[in-house]
Amino acid sequence: PPPTPTTARGALTLARLAVLLTSAALAPPRAMPTMKYLFFDCDDCLYQNGWKTADKITAKIAAYCSDELGVDKRRAYELYKAHGTCLKGLLVECLMPRDMIDEFLETVHDIDYDDVERDDALRDIVEHCGEQRHRYVFTASVAEHAERCLKKIGIPLDAFYNIVDTRTCRLETKHSWQAFDCAMVAAGTADHAECVLFDDSVKNIRMAKELGWTTVLVGLTARDTGDRIACAEADYHVASLHDIPAVLP
């Protein structure tokens, strides 16, 4: 049986549990699948700050695209929405030569992290999710960015076995099966049923589910509209990773 809010380590307060359980987006109880390899998205998942950090990166991407490539910011954001990252879109649509990839990645992630706050409670939750050798950060960003985020959150790098980033995935995004293949290779598993994705993107969750992963959608509202989000392909839907103990004991 699931842990009670008053006894389980890292469990929810009664008030937060009430919010979670009354959410229309929360998936109904089901048989617990075999879950071994845990893949955590970084931005707006391991931390949440109203997309403040994401907005900084988006602004840097827009500036780079405009100044270096002649691509306006609206088009740059459309590429991100369509392809999972603006970089992937620029390459697919032949708007940027491949010899600019490293410069692009370094430039757009040169931001301050003042909006990412320390979260000791989340550190405890993550460290009690399975075994360290089976925990991964799975990000469309670069490993250096994820490392800086983890440092700000207060989660030690060795809480995860490795970071699967855009380079690990050969610049593929979680909109494509290829990125998930790369993640599984990095983890040393060929069994989709043993893999779990924690992510705030509905498109990423849909692809993971199509491939046979267990899926946990994180966050209740859409970035662009503020509307409540729902996803039939999400096995679980939580407001934040703090809610994991209530649904994945």
Side-chain angles (χ1 to χ4, degrees):
T4 64
T6 55
T7 60
R9 183 182 181 89
L12 304 174
T13 64
L14 290 173
R16 190 162 178 77
L17 182 60
V19 172
L20 178 64
L21 295 179
T22 55
S23 170
L26 182 62
R30 65 199 68 200
M32 187 65 65
T34 300
M35 294 179 288
K36 184 175 182 181
Y37 296 93
L38 309 178
F39 295 86
F40 295 82
D41 180 44
C42 179
D43 297 304
D44 309 301
C45 187
L46 278 172
Y47 70 89
Q48 294 172 308
N49 59 11
W51 298 281
K52 292 177 182 177
T53 303
D55 287 344
K56 291 176 183 178
I57 296 174
T58 299
K60 294 282 285 192
I61 290 172
Y64 187 93
C65 288
S66 177
D67 297 345
E68 303 296 332
L69 304 172
V71 176
D72 66 46
K73 67 178 184 180
R74 179 176 179 179
R75 180 65 176 136
Y77 195 66
E78 289 173 349
L79 291 171
Y80 155 70
K81 296 289 285 185
H83 296 276
T85 65
C86 179
L87 175 58
K88 178 65 176 179
L90 290 169
L91 295 173
V92 168
E93 302 196 18
C94 301
L95 297 172
M96 187 180 82
R98 296 189 70 86
D99 62 9
M100 294 179 70
I101 290 173
D102 288 340
E103 178 187 77
F104 175 91
L105 290 172
E106 181 179 351
T107 301
V108 303
H109 292 102
D110 182 16
I111 61 170
D112 73 73
Y113 293 82
D114 293 344
D115 296 315
V116 180
E117 297 182 353
R118 186 175 182 88
D119 192 339
D120 292 334
L122 182 60
R123 179 198 64 212
D124 291 342
I125 290 171
V126 168
E127 290 181 339
H128 286 83
C129 285
E131 299 180 36
Q132 182 267 359
R133 63 194 178 99
H134 295 147
R135 291 195 298 263
Y136 294 81
V137 176
F138 186 13
T139 177
S141 184
V142 292
E144 297 91 333
H145 168 72
E147 289 170 359
R148 293 191 286 266
C149 290
L150 289 173
K151 183 177 180 180
K152 286 288 293 183
I153 299 167
I155 299 178
L157 291 180
D158 62 7
F160 298 94
Y161 188 75
N162 209 344
I163 296 173
V164 178
D165 74 344
T166 187
R167 296 188 183 103
T168 310
C169 296
R170 300 191 292 273
L171 308 181
E172 294 292 344
T173 75
K174 283 176 273 186
H175 287 194
S176 71
W177 62 264
Q178 291 95 330
F180 290 89
D181 257 18
C182 290
M184 293 177 67
V185 168
T189 181
D191 190 349
H192 294 81
E194 290 187 335
C195 299
V196 185
L197 178 67
F198 302 87
D199 205 295
D200 66 296
S201 166
V202 168
K203 288 184 178 180
N204 296 348
I205 290 292
R206 285 173 176 160
M207 177 53 66
K209 191 61 183 176
E210 181 179 328
L211 296 172
W213 288 37
T214 297
T215 54
V216 183
L217 180 60
V218 180
L220 300 179
T221 57
R223 176 182 179 182
D224 293 336
T225 65
D227 294 339
R228 183 170 289 268
I229 58 175
C231 179
E233 293 81 3
D235 294 301
Y236 305 94
H237 190 174
V238 296
S240 79
L241 289 178
H242 295 90
D243 299 329
I244 292 175
V247 295
L248 296 177

